[in-house]
Amino acid sequence: MDIEEPFIPTCSFVQKLSFGLGHVFNDLCAAMWFSYTLFYLHVVLNIESTTAGTLLMIGQVVDSVATPLVGWAIDRTGERRSWHFGGSLAVAVGFSLIFSMKPVELTTTALVYYILSITLFQVGWAVVQIAHLSLIPEISRNHSHSSDLTAIRYTASVCCSMTVYLITFLVLQTDDNASIGPQDFFKFKEIALIIVFMGIMASLLFYCGLLGTFENEYEMIREADDVNHLNSNNQDKHFLKQSIIYLVSLTYMASRLFTILNLIYIPLYLDERGAVEVVAKEKMRQTIATIPLVSYVASFLTSIFLKCRGQCCPDKVTYLMGTTVGIIASVWLGSGVSPNSDSELYAIAVFLGISGSSTMVSSLCLTANFVKANGYGGGLVYSIVTFTDKLISGAVVLLVQNLQCNPKTLCPHYYENVLSYICGIVSLLGIVSLGTLEYEIRKNGRIRPSN
């Protein structure tokens, strides 16, 4: 007599769709935060480059410190939706305040205002991110569902970024070809408030769609289903004592840092290019939105392909291909883009989008597989994985801003070199991390080569 196996509910279409909306608020804010905040502080508010970089660094440090604390608290309480709701409120208030005050000069009061607003925003962002990521092991039951949720999450992120760039393109349009400056303060404020409204609506739909999901029901996947071979084989050993978690974190960090640096410095690179080339300067208002938009259209199409890839292209192969494309884009930028050649810029943007999408989806799939293969709750694991990229990205931005020439005319291609050399090195770091991860897996006997 066969024993009937218990029915294990799978992740429904409504759950998947609702899950994709759960990080939309964060993604909308992140697109503007990384793409335009440094540009906004430096070009629109005329804050010194080093001070603007310091403010961005403060935000990243607050985010990185809050992340592991949030992960620990979420795993202890299990109230993921409550944490998500509180974080969303903090994001709404903090993000609105960042773009709502225009000081005549950067006084101590104004500086404290920006620091407190950024702190509130970044703490809320960390809460929403970890609460949302830790839902992946909860509402999925196998690697296929985890991959679907990860791809949906990234697709939603890409759509959010495209939306922000479209909004920016429409709002910044004027009847003249004047460069962007202090006169555009109210336009950036308008963009921020539109983003907050859209994010709140998406979060409300997220809560409605996941009302029927049970908390704290994790199913540890079988060894045979561990497609990335990330089972620790030692459940008594804490995951912080395992090298696998740090190697997975490095792959995610390299992917995220590559994407963040491109988001931050492409607008500044275009502004730098416009200062040298008159034609490019006249198109500044258009390219500052359309170049990132093209990159994210490429990301969107890539994420759709990754959603349908099945088992034909494993996560590690996808990551390797993505980093290779990223290196090609960096080398192309480093070799020099032809003067006034917008076509080359758009082609490079496509390569950057493909690279970012491939590496981000595959690294998150590796993380989700690690969580489910070892039966962890997810909150603390995801907080450790995301900790490195937040802290290091802030440090890199601060370093780049402090190394900038003064006056700028001494380094007319400074941001071009940043996008080329630093992003290229980050891609190489991703390949090294992936190779080390594969070596560690084979060394520990988690993969048995076929005869």
Side-chain angles (χ1 to χ4, degrees):
M1 179 178 177
D2 295 333
I3 299 177
E4 183 179 355
E5 294 185 359
F7 172 74
I8 300 176
T10 58
C11 186
S12 68
F13 172 78
V14 174
Q15 284 181 330
K16 290 180 180 179
L17 182 61
S18 301
F19 175 82
L21 294 173
H23 207 254
V24 163
F25 199 177
N26 265 18
D27 290 330
L28 288 170
C29 294
M32 187 168 183
W33 170 259
F34 289 118
S35 294
Y36 298 122
T37 299
L38 190 60
F39 181 87
Y40 167 78
L41 294 173
H42 185 45
V43 177
V44 178
L45 297 187
N46 288 325
I47 296 176
E48 292 184 0
S49 176
T50 54
T51 304
T54 301
L55 288 173
L56 201 69
M57 172 64 181
I58 290 173
Q60 294 303 104
V61 170
V62 170
D63 193 1
S64 63
V65 171
T67 295
L69 297 176
V70 168
W72 174 83
I74 290 176
D75 278 348
R76 287 293 297 269
T77 62
E79 297 293 334
R80 293 170 183 80
R81 287 163 192 74
S82 299
W83 281 96
H84 190 285
F85 179 76
S88 297
L89 289 179
V91 169
V93 176
F95 192 75
S96 300
L97 292 176
I98 293 173
F99 294 90
S100 295
M101 177 177 145
K102 180 185 178 182
V104 178
E105 58 179 338
L106 190 63
T107 61
T108 302
T109 302
L111 188 60
V112 172
Y113 171 89
Y114 280 116
I115 292 176
L116 292 178
S117 300
I118 289 172
T119 299
L120 179 62
F121 163 63
Q122 291 289 13
V123 170
W125 203 97
V127 171
V128 173
Q129 182 193 35
I130 300 305
H132 189 254
L133 280 173
S134 61
L135 281 171
I136 294 179
E138 176 189 332
I139 65 179
S140 65
R141 287 298 178 266
N142 53 48
H143 180 264
S144 175
H145 292 147
S146 296
S147 298
D148 287 347
L149 291 175
T150 302
I152 290 172
R153 183 182 188 275
Y154 188 80
T155 301
S157 175
V158 171
C159 292
C160 290
S161 298
M162 292 192 295
T163 301
V164 170
Y165 298 136
L166 283 172
I167 294 172
T168 303
F169 175 77
L170 294 173
V171 173
L172 288 182
Q173 292 304 300
T174 59
D175 296 331
D176 54 34
N177 291 320
S179 299
I180 296 177
Q183 71 276 6
D184 293 293
F185 164 76
F186 291 102
K187 293 187 176 182
F188 278 90
K189 179 179 179 180
E190 181 182 350
I191 295 170
L193 294 179
I194 292 173
I195 287 173
V196 170
F197 175 77
M198 294 176 62
I200 292 174
M201 293 299 102
S203 296
L204 291 177
L205 293 175
F206 162 74
Y207 300 133
C208 295
L210 289 184
L211 287 176
T213 305
F214 296 99
E215 298 279 3
N216 298 325
E217 291 191 2
Y218 298 93
E219 178 198 5
M220 180 175 171
I221 65 176
R222 298 172 299 174
E223 185 174 355
D225 296 327
D226 183 12
V227 297
N228 288 308
H229 306 281
L230 297 178
N231 192 293
S232 66
N233 290 332
N234 187 356
Q235 301 305 317
D236 296 329
K237 190 176 183 180
H238 195 275
F239 75 89
L240 289 178
K241 298 181 180 179
Q242 303 172 30
S243 60
I244 295 293
I245 184 60
Y246 298 105
L247 293 173
V248 171
S249 298
L250 280 176
T251 59
Y252 176 84
M253 182 274 292
S255 171
R256 187 65 178 160
L257 181 58
F258 179 86
T259 302
I260 288 174
L261 290 178
N262 280 286
L263 284 173
I264 292 174
Y265 289 111
I266 280 180
L268 290 170
Y269 162 69
L270 294 174
D271 182 60
E272 175 184 80
R273 196 165 181 258
V276 179
E277 303 166 14
V278 177
V279 176
K281 183 176 181 178
E282 293 175 351
K283 297 179 180 179
M284 178 63 182
R285 289 181 178 272
Q286 175 183 346
T287 56
I288 194 177
T290 55
I291 294 294
L293 176 61
V294 167
S295 177
Y296 270 89
V297 169
S299 292
F300 176 72
L301 297 176
T302 303
S303 64
I304 292 176
F305 168 77
L306 295 176
K307 172 69 172 62
C308 304
R309 62 183 165 143
Q311 300 298 324
C312 65
C313 190
D315 296 327
K316 297 169 190 172
V317 175
T318 301
Y319 190 93
L320 178 61
M321 294 173 61
T323 51
T324 302
V325 172
I327 291 174
I328 293 174
S330 298
V331 171
W332 193 344
L333 268 172
S335 62
V337 178
S338 301
N340 304 324
S341 176
D342 289 344
S343 59
E344 285 191 56
L345 286 176
Y346 287 117
I348 292 173
V350 170
F351 276 57
L352 294 176
I354 294 173
S355 175
S357 180
S358 301
T359 55
M360 184 61 63
V361 171
S362 55
S363 61
L364 284 175
C365 285
L366 287 171
T367 306
N369 190 204
F370 177 84
V371 171
K372 292 189 70 63
N374 296 282
Y376 298 123
L380 189 55
V381 174
Y382 279 111
S383 67
I384 295 299
V385 170
T386 59
F387 173 84
T388 52
D389 91 89
K390 295 174 180 179
L391 188 61
I392 293 178
S393 61
V396 171
V397 169
L398 182 63
L399 178 64
V400 169
Q401 293 303 110
N402 279 276
L403 291 177
Q404 187 180 33
C405 298
N406 189 15
K408 297 180 182 179
T409 53
L410 296 176
C411 302
H413 301 287
Y414 182 72
Y415 291 119
E416 177 183 302
N417 293 331
V418 169
L419 290 173
S420 176
Y421 295 107
I422 296 183
C423 290
I425 291 173
V426 171
S427 293
L428 288 174
L429 176 61
I431 292 178
V432 172
S433 302
L434 183 67
T436 307
L437 174 63
E438 183 67 15
Y439 170 78
E440 187 70 18
I441 290 172
R442 290 183 178 273
K443 184 183 72 172
N444 292 329
R446 297 188 180 94
I447 294 182
R448 296 180 176 85
S450 57
N451 295 327

